[in-house]
Amino acid sequence: MYQEILNEIYNEVNSLDCLGKQADYIPELAKISSDKFAINLTELSGNNYGVGDITDKFSLQSIAKVFAFTLAYRLKGSAVFQHVGVEPSGDPFNSLIQLEQEQGMPRNPLINAGALAICDVLIDELADPEHDLFDFIKKIARNDAVTYNSKVYRSEKNTGFRNRALVNLMKSFGRINNDTEAVLDLYFKLCSVEMTAPELSKTFLVYANHGKIPETQEQILTNSQTKRLNAIMQTCGFYDEAGEFTFRVGLPGKSGVGGGIAAIHPGKYAVAVWSPMLNPKGNSVKGMKALELLTTKLGWSIF
Ligand code: GLU
């Protein structure tokens, strides 16, 4: 059933006139072909269904913030919320204004300021932060080949003026312990992680399976931590369009400016979509439409 539905969605969405544009503030992302489009769904059983450009790797960008937060939450438990809040920002993902007004405390771990604060926590907690973070991502992905794209990483490092401003503003409020360039370096590597759509939906199964890796039932986060993280994705995962995504799709998830979106239906499946053409809020136009059609055609969402 899933494969026919995905094929139908792929054709329907491709026939729409989708406007949008690549994230050109990261020059390397502006080079990705605008007509790339992939949809992939993986059931908890491991059954996989995909259509479109499912063998292409794409830049996860903010989707990877979920993995960094998962590791920090696993290491620090509730103490992680001394570093980031759990409220939607209602502001663009890289906004400085709210951070200034709120004394450098990021609203949540999925906006840039929050993910930078989480990278700072990881540098505090891990013996070899880059190696250990990537080892963790490989573990939840069940894929030892996961890595970051060095061109995208360098592109971000050379042009990440706003992220530099965010981390320095937080440092001025005493909220960053480590060298700001070390924090940015880990953050840019995290954002430059790339995966195919099937690899991404497989990785997100842990959030659909109450924090356990499906094949081994190894507990990565507790049931309650997973509930909380999924709630953060639902309320904060789509920049200042989290309400719109919830309204149209009705699943927790996270988008990135590479044009990817990963979402989950707890107890059932994880789904990843990718199309690099973004709407003005930074979410993939085709990706949002595809997921809206998915929950509409299936007749199930979490609501
Ligand atoms: N690396 C991107 C940035 O920091 C991530 C943005 C995103 O995907 O939301 O600007």
Side-chain angles (χ1 to χ4, degrees):
M1 152 193 81
Y2 283 119
Q3 189 63 55
E4 290 85 72
I5 290 183
L6 296 191
N7 293 347
E8 244 176 68
I9 294 172
Y10 182 83
N11 292 330
E12 267 180 59
V13 174
N14 254 346
S15 69
L16 297 174
D17 243 355
C18 280
L19 301 171
K21 69 180 182 66
Q22 292 99 326
D24 51 10
Y25 78 99
I26 301 175
E28 206 53 38
L29 294 183
K31 298 181 185 165
I32 311 291
S33 158
S34 60
D35 53 8
K36 292 286 180 188
F37 184 30
I39 316 175
N40 192 90
L41 184 149
T42 316
E43 289 183 277
L44 283 189
S45 62
N47 292 338
N48 190 69
Y49 313 89
V51 58
D53 296 301
I54 53 174
T55 57
D56 287 32
K57 288 188 188 291
F58 58 92
S59 193
L60 297 196
Q61 294 295 319
S62 278
I63 300 170
K65 291 172 180 169
V66 177
F67 308 146
F69 180 69
T70 304
L71 178 56
Y73 200 7
R74 179 175 155 95
L75 292 169
K76 289 193 68 95
S78 301
V80 77
F81 297 114
Q82 289 161 11
H83 301 267
V84 288
V86 296
E87 290 297 337
S89 65
D91 255 345
F93 61 97
N94 53 9
S95 170
L96 283 145
I97 297 167
Q98 199 168 51
L99 197 60
E100 165 77 10
Q101 283 166 343
E102 298 181 357
Q103 288 78 46
M105 175 70 165
R107 277 281 173 112
N108 67 67
L110 302 182
I111 50 173
N112 287 17
L116 286 159
I118 291 298
C119 285
D120 184 55
V121 168
L122 291 178
I123 294 174
D124 278 342
E125 295 289 320
L126 299 172
D128 184 348
E130 180 187 332
H131 176 267
D132 298 351
L133 171 60
F134 275 82
D135 251 18
F136 177 72
I137 299 174
K138 288 174 188 168
K139 178 188 175 86
I140 57 172
R142 287 91 86 214
N143 178 357
D144 279 339
V146 174
T147 185
Y148 64 90
N149 180 307
S150 51
K151 283 191 185 157
V152 175
Y153 158 69
R154 278 198 299 276
S155 187
E156 288 209 58
K157 203 172 163 81
N158 292 336
T159 59
F161 306 111
R162 201 165 255 278
N163 287 317
R164 269 196 183 85
L166 289 169
V167 76
N168 280 293
L169 184 57
M170 286 191 285
K171 182 98 180 170
S172 78
F173 283 109
R175 294 205 151 269
I176 295 288
N177 290 332
N178 297 285
D179 174 57
T180 53
E181 281 302 316
V183 174
L184 286 164
D185 196 71
L186 188 63
Y187 172 82
F188 292 138
K189 283 176 178 151
L190 173 72
C191 291
S192 310
V193 169
E194 51 179 20
M195 288 188 190
T196 64
E199 287 168 348
L200 180 59
S201 60
K202 184 177 174 191
T203 309
F204 260 68
L205 281 182
V206 66
Y207 307 112
N209 194 35
H210 309 292
K212 289 178 286 193
I213 295 198
E215 294 87 355
T216 59
Q217 298 300 304
E218 184 187 351
Q219 196 92 48
I220 299 295
L221 291 178
T222 67
N223 205 11
S224 158
Q225 286 174 326
T226 311
K227 174 197 79 178
R228 292 172 192 274
L229 172 47
N230 289 344
I232 294 171
M233 285 201 262
Q234 187 77 62
T235 52
C236 311
F238 295 87
Y239 314 119
D240 49 344
E241 217 173 29
E244 180 79 13
F245 187 85
T246 297
F247 181 77
R248 283 172 48 187
V249 179
L251 299 176
K254 180 75 197 92
S255 62
V257 296
I261 301 177
I264 55 153
H265 193 137
K268 291 191 191 300
Y269 65 77
V271 59
V273 292
W274 171 53
S275 158
M277 303 304 271
L278 308 180
N279 68 21
K281 299 272 170 84
N283 291 310
S284 169
V285 178
K286 285 186 178 177
M288 271 183 77
K289 188 70 200 165
L291 292 176
E292 179 179 359
L293 288 173
L294 178 69
T295 51
T296 305
K297 285 177 191 284
L298 288 172
W300 325 311
S301 79
I302 67 158
F303 297 103

